Amino acid sequence: MIPTRRRLLSFFITITFTAVFVRHFMSAQPRTIVVGGGLAGLSAAHTLLENGATVLLLDKKPSLGGNSVKASSGINGAGTEAQVKHDIKDTVEDFIKDTTASAGHLARPNLIQALTSNSAPTLAWLSTKFGVDLSLVARLGGHSIPRTHRGKGGAPGWAITSALIKKLEQEPNASIIKSAKVLRLLEESGKVYGVEYESEGVKVEAEGPVIIATGGYAADFSSSGYLTQYRSDLLTLPTTNGDHATGDGHRMATSLSLPAVLCDMDQIQVHPTGFIDPANPDAKTKFLAAEALRGVGGILVDSTGARFVNEIGRRDAVTTKMQDLIGAGKGPIRLILNSEAATELKAHCDFYVAKGLMKKYEGAAALAQEMGVPADRLKKTFEAHGRYARNEETDPFGKTFFHNPTFDPEGPILVALMTPVVHYTMGGIQVDEKARVLHADGSPVPGLFAAGEAIGGVHGQNRLGGSSLLEAVVFGRIAGSSASS
Ligand SMILES: Cc1cc2nc3c(=O)[nH]c(=O)nc-3n(C[C@H](O)[C@H](O)[C@H](O)COP(=O)(O)OP(=O)(O)OC[C@H]3O[C@@H](n4cnc5c(N)ncnc54)[C@H](O)[C@@H]3O)c2cc1C
Ligand SMILES: *[C@@H]1O[C@H](CO)[C@@H](O)[C@H](O)[C@H]1NC(C)=O
């Protein structure tokens, strides 16, 4: 009797141990925590799921999407299917060249290589897996080749991000908790093993490797914020960012006992064209006037009706010229679109007109009257622009690519008031090309990854339009696969 019972007992013990062992070591990957549900966090989450992991995605706002849903110009890719269809020859090398030139002395070749070489496969992933339309291609400032992709429907940021949100919500292995603000990282002997977050007034701990995808700090205007700390000269400007963009991930990563490092924190992109809403000219958050408005042929004039810059030059160059003019009392700056350009961006323009941000005028004289300049002043500006486009004269501001360049002085135009706006933070958490968060000595913080606008260094001193949605997806995917291996 006794030996049999003992044998039975040891049999059960063995079974129990085996079960525990199997559950612990042989089961699917442990859960990974993604902090932030913008495009970077969503891309990381989907990649984790592809690699067999389960995901907990936390976002402090009541809805996902962050600044990603606002993106209005598009996403870059070199050597994409759409470019081939439009007969546009582009290579990763060309994209590297443009990005490196724009990044200037802060260019980091390993990060630029990761961004550009993954671009075409990344766009293919978005179209194939999520059915996102990226069939239209435009040239934005600083690009030598048209490579910024968007679809025929609404704004590209919304189209891409909402497709990823919708699919993630259907994934059984992903849990999404909204209105859950992550407060700090949990660590043990230098290793990150989870987060503490606050949800419905309760503090909760969750365990697993962590991917920070909290976005940038272009709305961190408080007196103890990063803008005050690094760029107090920008505090008076408005921003295009949602109020979530306060650098939370940056603070968590640098609060570790062996802290992560930040880089390039003073590198902040001021976008030249935010809409001044005539009904609310002092609002701190502005609608962005998509760079595509200049890409399709919009021109910029000062208060005298004169052009002053290559409209499709780099953002930093256009901004500097605008700020100089405004400082010299030649503001406000106006953006003017002819009817061909307005038609090409019809969905955008309809929206801006409906919001009261853009106004239609029947010809140059009507606008000149409102501006209080001589009736033929704008007419001269329009005619000169046409001559530059036809190569009869050289544009004094160096514009060489012209799109919809003919402004009929009698024809209808769309006009809007513009201000520079704090738009994007190039600086952030330092990572390597595997999206591992780094200590000051270059060694990775175990268990911690980061992606999207939260990371620094990808764009050096100036980000090219369309490269930030790309950064979100590319580094989100890299972080997802690094965290699951
Ligand atoms: C108006 C506008 C237009 C733009 N247009 C373009 C464009 O055409 N092309 C382009 O490439 N780029 C564009 N950009 C830039 C680009 O949209 C962003 O840089 C990019 O989307 C950032 O993605 P992200 O996932 O890193 O951050 P976000 O999309 O900002 O997401 C961050 C998320 O993290 C959450 N979060 C933050 N802190 C916490 C916390 N403590 N706990 C939990 N959650 C937290 C936030 O609530 C948010 O949902 C534009 C930006 C703006 C504002
Ligand atoms: C979810 O994860 C389990 C293992 O944890 C796996 O067996 C299953 O296939 C996953 N489901 C999906 C839809 O990926």
Side-chain angles (χ1 to χ4, degrees), residues 9 13 20 28 32 41 96 101 112 156 187 190 192 214 236 255-256 313 322 331 350 355 364 366 402 405 428:
L9 192 66
I13 288 174
V20 168
T32 300
I96 290 178
I112 291 177
E187 56 173 323
V192 172
T214 46
T236 55
S255 302
L256 290 169
M322 285 176 66
D350 287 351
K355 287 260 167 213
F402 289 86

Side-chain angles (χ1 to χ4, degrees), residues 28 54 171-173:
T54 58
E171 292 285 354
N173 287 346

Side-chain angles (χ1 to χ4, degrees), residues 36 39-40 59-61 67-68 71 73-74 182 244 248 453 466 468-469:
L39 190 54
D59 199 296
K60 68 178 175 180
K61 300 299 272 188
N67 281 327
S68 303
S73 292
V182 175
H244 68 273
D248 296 14
E453 195 171 337
S468 156
L469 287 179

Side-chain angles (χ1 to χ4, degrees), residues 321-451:
K321 273 280 171 69
M322 285 176 66
Q323 280 175 313
D324 287 351
L325 282 171
I326 293 166
K330 285 193 171 182
I333 307 298
R334 285 178 171 82
L335 171 80
I336 309 177
L337 264 64
N338 62 21
S339 53
E340 288 84 12
T343 306
E344 196 167 328
L345 273 187
K346 188 169 182 324
H348 285 72
C349 291
D350 287 351
F351 175 79
Y352 300 142
V353 170
K355 287 260 167 213
L357 301 169
M358 259 187 168
K359 194 171 157 191
K360 190 171 176 181
Y361 292 82
E362 296 299 335
L367 175 60
Q369 191 184 358
E370 176 153 327
M371 290 170 63
V373 299
D376 64 343
R377 185 64 194 84
L378 280 168
K379 198 173 158 203
K380 281 186 186 147
T381 299
F382 288 1
E383 285 167 356
H385 192 257
R387 289 196 299 277
Y388 307 145
R390 291 189 300 273
N391 240 335
E392 294 165 15
E393 284 173 41
T394 307
D395 178 26
F397 309 109
K399 193 167 174 177
T400 50
F401 299 113
F402 289 86
H403 198 69
N404 300 321
T406 310
F407 284 74
D408 172 5
E410 314 301 328
I413 45 179
L414 285 180
V415 183
L417 298 173
M418 298 284 114
T419 173
V421 262
V422 180
H423 183 53
Y424 177 86
T425 50
M426 268 82 66
I429 301 167
Q430 197 161 325
V431 295
D432 63 11
E433 66 281 358
K434 294 190 172 126
R436 297 182 297 190
V437 172
L438 303 178
H439 293 120
D441 68 359
S443 65
V445 179
L448 189 62
F449 308 85

